[in-house]
Amino acid sequence: MKIHNEAVQKYLFSRFADTIRCYEALSRGDLSILERLGHQMKGNGLTFGFPQISDIGESMESAAKKGDSRSALGCVKSLELVLKHQLGRN
């Protein structure tokens, strides 16, 4: 199944907005948001053709479940880099 470029761009921009939510949640110590968003990315990254986003989502979800803020932050930073690369914002 091929997904239209517009849908892919919208997906990537939505994930970029998620990174902002993640940074805000981390500043409050709220890992439940990272757990939920990580779980969603784990599933939908592959749908949109981004296995790296799925992998990051899986790691983020796992770190959040363990209460590991430091690893969760690393996941958010990795996601941000991947998204910037995909969106051409190096």
Side-chain angles (χ1 to χ4, degrees):
M1 174 175 89
K2 183 164 173 131
I3 299 173
H4 294 300
N5 192 39
E6 284 182 36
V8 170
Q9 291 297 312
K10 184 176 179 179
Y11 172 76
L12 293 172
F13 280 114
S14 293
R15 297 302 64 78
F16 200 80
D18 286 345
T19 64
I20 295 166
R21 283 192 280 278
C22 287
Y23 284 125
E24 290 170 349
L26 281 166
S27 73
R28 296 188 310 270
D30 184 359
L31 293 176
S32 66
I33 290 173
L34 280 81
E35 182 179 344
R36 180 178 53 82
L37 291 173
H39 180 79
Q40 291 171 353
M41 283 184 270
K42 178 175 68 173
N44 61 32
L46 289 175
T47 301
F48 283 89
F50 298 102
Q52 192 173 14
I53 291 175
S54 288
D55 293 344
I56 292 168
E58 184 174 12
S59 296
M60 184 187 304
E61 179 185 21
S62 176
K65 281 182 177 179
K66 293 175 186 172
D68 187 349
S69 297
R70 187 175 183 162
S71 292
L73 175 60
C75 293
V76 177
K77 288 180 178 182
S78 294
L79 176 62
E80 185 177 14
L81 289 174
V82 167
L83 293 169
K84 284 181 177 181
H85 174 75
Q86 291 296 327
L87 292 166
R89 296 179 176 190
N90 300 333

